[in-house]
Amino acid sequence: MSAADDPANAPAPDGATFADASRSLLRRTLLEAARDLAADRPWRSVTMAAIAGRAGVSRQTVYNEFGSRPRLTEALVLHETEEFLTAVGDAIRRHPADPSEALSAALGVFLQAASEDALVAAVIREDGRDDLLPLVTSEGRPILEHGTGRLAVMMRETWPVLRGPEADFLAGTVMRLGLSYVVLPVADAERDATARGIADLVRPYVESLLARDGG
């Protein structure tokens, strides 16, 4: 191997890019530590120190990243929402020619993920004294707006004929339904039928939009 091919002689990565990647990894590590702790204890008992210990960093590192526990809580819920939305987007893109099947698959993925997610389980078992539940109910606007925006982009990428307001309305409706099933989940045996039923309800509306311009 020549000196030019030696990895040790490769150009140093861009400092800002490396720093951003490192911070992103740290943030994900802290959020995953918080989620793991929420799986086996009430969220109100999950302290910043406990998260730090689980992640193998100092408590100050956690505060430096999030600033406060309420901000960490909101970041955690947004993080989990993003994980759900990634899976939902993949399901939608697999069925571009069949919007009903796309929505059914997306809702099925969402309901399954919600039934298996540790943070969702923590939300469900809350007794109203924690600060997780309000983030998907009375104080759920940031989650709703984030999810609506992401879903609207996915829908317009899959069905370009959709106009912005139409995609926003459809995405917002799906997000509101999804959040309602997070708080009051259906039994596993009813999950597929629920996903198909919701898709059938909205199918005429979606198909009328796509047929408008021959989509």
Side-chain angles (χ1 to χ4, degrees):
M1 180 176 63
S2 69
D5 294 328
D6 189 340
N9 294 324
D14 179 80
T17 301
F18 181 79
D20 290 345
S22 296
R23 182 171 181 182
S24 177
L25 177 59
L26 171 63
R27 190 177 184 86
R28 174 176 286 274
T29 299
L30 295 176
L31 292 173
E32 290 178 351
R35 181 187 59 196
D36 291 344
L37 289 169
D40 59 12
R41 69 183 72 175
W43 178 246
R44 62 181 174 274
S45 69
V46 178
T47 64
M48 301 289 262
I51 295 169
R54 183 68 172 242
V57 299
S58 70
R59 185 176 65 170
Q60 188 59 49
T61 297
V62 184
Y63 277 102
N64 289 345
E65 182 61 32
F66 297 102
S68 66
R69 191 174 183 281
R71 288 179 61 185
L72 181 146
T73 302
E74 182 173 330
L76 177 58
V77 175
L78 282 169
H79 173 74
E80 291 300 288
T81 301
E82 188 62 30
E83 295 287 309
F84 284 12
L85 290 172
T86 298
V88 166
D90 290 342
I92 289 174
R93 295 184 189 100
R94 284 197 295 270
H95 305 280
D98 189 339
S100 180
E101 184 64 26
L103 291 173
S104 179
L107 288 162
V109 165
F110 184 91
L111 294 177
Q112 180 175 356
S115 71
E116 298 172 351
D117 188 82
L119 188 65
V120 171
V123 170
I124 293 169
R125 68 170 178 258
E126 279 201 5
D127 54 13
R129 291 179 290 172
D130 284 355
D131 50 1
L132 279 176
L133 185 59
L135 290 178
V136 293
T137 54
S138 60
E139 299 172 13
R141 185 159 296 279
I143 306 302
L144 176 62
E145 290 179 349
H146 174 76
T148 296
R150 289 278 285 111
L151 271 180
V153 169
M154 295 172 187
M155 289 175 176
R156 294 202 70 189
E157 288 175 348
T158 305
W159 304 302
V161 70
L162 285 179
R163 300 190 180 105
E166 295 164 346
D168 290 342
F169 175 76
L170 179 59
T173 299
V174 171
M175 273 300 300
R176 287 177 184 273
L177 283 168
L179 289 175
S180 73
Y181 282 107
V182 167
V183 178
L184 294 172
V186 298
D188 289 349
E190 301 171 2
R191 189 170 58 222
D192 290 344
T194 298
R196 288 194 301 271
I198 295 172
D200 287 343
L201 282 174
V202 301
R203 178 177 58 190
Y205 171 72
V206 176
E207 290 184 342
S208 70
L209 295 178
L210 299 185
R212 177 186 55 209
D213 295 326

